[in-house]
Amino acid sequence: MLLFFTVGLLVHFVFFASIFDIYFTSPLVHGMTPQFTPLPPPARRLVLFVADGLRADALYELDENGNSRAPFIRNIIMHEGSWGISHTRVPTESRPGHVALIAGFYEDVSAVARGWKENPVEFDSLFNESKYTWSWGSPDILSMFAKGATGDHVFAYSYDANDEDFGAQDVTKLDTWVFDKIKEFFHAARKNQSLFSKLNEEKIVFFLHLLGIDTNGHAHRPSSREYKDNIKLVDEGIKEIVSLLKEFYGNDEKTAFVLTSDHGMTDWGSHGAGHLSETFTPFVTWGAGIKYPQKVSAQQFDDTLLKECKLEYWKRQDINQADIAPLMASLIGVPFPLNSVGILPVDYLNNTDVFKAESMYTNAVQILEQFKVKMTQKKEVTLPFLFTPFKLLSDSEQLSILRKARSYIKQRKYDEAISLCKDLIHLALKGLSYYHTYDRFFLGISVVLGFVGWASFASLLIIKSHSSITRGVSKDIKKPSGDLLTCSFVAIGVLIAFFLLIQGCPWTYYVYCLLPVPIWYAVLREYQVFQDLVTSLLTLPLSHFVGYLLVCTLGIEVLVLSFFYRYMLTAGLIVFAGWPFITQLWTRAKSISLSWIFFCLLLAVFPLMPVVGRKPDIFLVMGAGLMVLLLSLFVVTSLIKRNDGFVNGELLLHLLQMLSIVLSMCVVYSTHNSLLRKQGLPLINQIVSWIILASSFVLPLLSPTVLPKRLVSILLSSMSSYLLLSTGYEALFPLVLSCVMFVWIYMEQETLQQCGVACKQKVSNIQFTYNTDISQFRQLSLDDTRRAFFLVFFLLTAFFGTGNIASINSFDLASVYCFLTIFSPFMMGALMMWKILIPFVLVMCAFEAVQLTTQLSSKSLFLMVLVISDIMALHFFFLVKDYGSWLDIGTSISHYVIVMSMTIVLVFLNGLAQLLTTKKLKLCGKPKSHLI
């Protein structure tokens, strides 16, 4: 069985990784020729301001007094330049946002594995194509483009990474540092002849990365005074830098300026998904080569931004984020970044028609170059009779369009040339997408075959090893030759491998295509079990069979729908509350049934609550701590009164866990107040938080392995950590969930007794143990399917009930501020992941208890849970998409990743739950003893 779970884990890792190979692989190709406009550019230099995390509405809107919080930028919009919205794509994170801005392409999601810092692949950028680039800002962003540049012409000046502190007294210092360093830089340049001559070259770029707004947004929310004041500070800083540059260059009017953002931010201070507040970023440009403001009488957009910001009469021109790179390249006359897929927004240019047409022609040739390289690459690794070219853009069609466009330019039909080039670009981008997704259907079929095969094998294994279906059914059917089956599948595997080899496919293709072969071989070896199952099902009345099928389908659909609509969990919990009435448990155990109904209805409230972090409330966290303390006192007093073997060591342990709860409450309250006063995270609070977190893994192992005592100990230790990671009502959630779990254990034992299975021990006397007597196990019954469904449902409730949504932007950084405030993506991610896992651990520990009380093999129930999870995962695999709105794309990815992660994590959680419930540490050196 250990081998089965190891193989199962590897199979699920393959299924999980497949989403990135099928939908999200690097779009980059290499080997193109640089393309640039042959005419003189309008600007000698470009200044790029990127205000990290700046929302479009926050910059453009007026304050409560009707004044702009960015008066200099608003003056630019009205009197000097052009403006619009830059539409970003998911994931709305700093690294992919800057890659789109400066390199002109949209990075694949798999780059998240590098924390958005390192370059998974090399790419060309505006900085690389420039004569010189000087940049100031965050080390995370600047190093990425400095490392990717060829030669020694990209200079980066950054502050220390530890300065990116969400709990700092004043995070605007990140922006003032940038502005101060630039002033010092230009002051020093007057005395440094070498630097002075470099600064007077053409084709140079100045890049200012301003991180303060993003940091203030995470720490205080975009609606806060700190966020809005930071926008004012950036506005004033930009005004000073513009003035400084005009003075330094003697008002030569050869400088182009661009202000934008890498991504926006949600109202609750996070980003990463496709909400409009994250994908709408400001874009303002002015200076050399840029059109002056254009007054219009009316303009139509789907949003209300124009009216709210009182900019209805100034022409707004929206662009995609990747379009900014070709615009900047065109302004200073450098080759377009080789991997750019941006379309030059010619309406922003204030230049001759011939310059616009030539620039658009260059843009079309540059994107067409990528199409040709991509087509050649795919053609080389595909058998000639299997290769299907992109028919809309054949070689002759490419040549015809380019000749026609060149002819239009010679005839001075510039508008026609621009329109034709745009058509060519759209066709080339379609062709790029076609070849990029060329193998998608083939790989998708392979993964689906693997999915279905694995679920079938697990189901047959359950039936064979843990049910009575195969017992008593005739075994006289002649068995086909095992050698023939083996030889057939070996031949199939060799053929597939040969087919992939001659096409030069990557090694991952071998994994996806060959994986179904051994899986289906294992399935067909169990054909006898399948035959017995069919024979057994045929004995059922048709109405019963259809009824069971409908109930199972409805159950799976409810689980799937809960990813889209959290209130489905509420509906499910209300149905669960009626369970005692359906099974007549109400008449057998009224007090337990009443408890079940009460706690199910109480838990049903949580999925209806707003998403965590949007409305933080420290007093709810304190209240949750007090309730846990009251529960602890109740447990202590009841055990002392019963004299239930509650010895001094156990009492001391219990008091120690209560002290952890008290310390957690003090740390949360103290840290909250310290951050409000902008005094940062106190060191003593940080040390205590890490000690509590570390002790929460050890303290439960010191408690007795008697079922109620061990579960209470696990709850108290988990709650001490969970309180430190809570910002609001979610602190109450594990407590209510644990109450439901405790009652569930008793309900399941009552259900078993009602079915006529004798229970040898009371719940209060059952011991968790490694060496459970196998003879105590019983065969699976239909009711065990319900138990497995309950577990999956409670696991989903454990995730969505705490206020998470199936999206990357539902995780609030404020939840880790008791542990650290300096930006560290992997450490913060690990802490937030542990916060998510704590309710999962509580459910899995309760599940261990349910298996003991119902005298059922843990392997059999766990296999059923995996089958249900795999059916859900297959459902979401078909729902993943990379088209439509970016919100839909991001959500579909999140759903699949979450359900696959849950399936993989379940295997680990099962082991962790067994460790937490059965392991007993002895501090006094006494030998271990496991009672049955």
Side-chain angles (χ1 to χ4, degrees), residues 127-158:
F127 298 170
N128 191 42
E129 296 291 354
S130 68
K131 187 75 176 284
Y132 296 107
T133 292
W134 289 271
S135 56
W136 296 265
S138 165
D140 298 343
I141 299 301
L142 302 194
S143 61
M144 177 172 74
F145 292 100
K147 284 179 187 175
T150 54
D152 187 22
H153 67 282
V154 178
F155 308 101
Y157 306 95
S158 56

Side-chain angles (χ1 to χ4, degrees), residues 472-682:
V473 181
S474 175
K475 308 285 182 183
D476 297 333
I477 302 163
K478 192 178 178 182
K479 208 171 182 179
S481 170
D483 292 339
L484 178 63
L485 189 67
T486 306
C487 291
S488 301
F489 273 89
V490 167
I492 291 168
V494 169
L495 280 172
I496 292 170
F498 180 70
F499 176 74
L500 295 172
L501 182 67
I502 58 175
Q503 294 201 100
C505 294
W507 67 271
T508 50
Y509 282 35
Y510 288 84
V511 177
Y512 303 137
C513 298
L514 291 173
L515 184 66
V517 176
I519 290 175
W520 279 101
Y521 171 69
V523 170
L524 292 180
R525 274 178 63 89
E526 305 295 341
Y527 83 100
Q528 182 66 63
V529 181
F530 179 74
Q531 202 158 29
D532 292 347
L533 174 64
V534 171
T535 306
S536 179
L537 289 175
L538 288 174
T539 61
L540 278 175
L542 184 63
S543 57
H544 287 198
F545 176 73
V546 172
Y548 291 143
L549 194 64
L550 283 174
V551 169
C552 290
T553 306
L554 182 65
I556 296 288
E557 286 305 312
V558 167
L559 294 174
V560 169
L561 285 171
S562 66
F563 279 73
F564 298 93
Y565 313 104
R566 287 169 61 217
Y567 61 77
M568 291 302 293
L569 294 172
T570 300
L573 286 165
I574 291 169
V575 172
F576 282 11
W579 177 37
F581 301 106
I582 299 166
T583 57
Q584 281 140 19
L585 278 170
W586 177 255
T587 54
R588 283 179 57 86
K590 281 198 176 176
S591 58
I592 294 172
S593 297
L594 278 172
S595 302
W596 171 260
I597 293 164
F598 173 74
F599 286 118
C600 276
L601 293 176
L602 191 59
L603 189 63
V605 174
F606 284 91
L608 299 175
M609 302 287 275
V611 170
V612 158
R614 299 190 186 184
K615 292 182 180 177
D617 190 337
I618 201 69
F619 295 107
L620 283 174
V621 181
M622 296 293 103
L626 285 172
M627 289 179 73
V628 175
L629 285 175
L630 287 172
L631 177 68
S632 305
L633 286 170
F634 172 75
V635 171
V636 170
T637 51
S638 63
L639 288 172
I640 290 173
K641 278 180 187 175
R642 287 166 55 187
N643 195 21
D644 195 13
F646 205 62
V647 295
N648 289 339
E650 294 171 30
L651 183 60
L652 183 65
L653 175 65
H654 206 82
L655 292 173
L656 188 62
Q657 289 183 307
M658 289 173 69
L659 178 64
S660 292
I661 298 289
V662 173
L663 282 174
S664 294
M665 292 168 66
C666 293
V667 167
V668 168
Y669 189 75
S670 168
T671 303
H672 178 74
N673 287 335
S674 179
L675 292 175
L676 276 181
R677 293 194 298 269
K678 298 185 179 177
Q679 293 175 351
L681 170 61

Side-chain angles (χ1 to χ4, degrees), residues 5 10-11 44 99 126 174 220 255 346 358 438 448 453 474 517 573 624 642 707 837 865 870:
F5 279 114
L10 289 172
V11 166
R44 289 176 62 85
V99 169
L126 176 79
L174 300 175
H220 305 289
T255 309
V346 287
E358 285 287 0
Y438 192 83
V448 167
S474 175
V517 176
L573 286 165
R642 287 166 55 187
L707 191 148
L837 289 178
V865 169
D870 283 342

Side-chain angles (χ1 to χ4, degrees), residues 83 296-299 306-315:
W83 76 288
V296 291
S297 56
Q299 46 188 337
L306 287 169
K307 194 171 182 182
E308 289 171 358
C309 301
K310 294 188 168 29
L311 290 169
E312 309 101 298
Y313 306 116
W314 279 267
K315 188 176 181 181

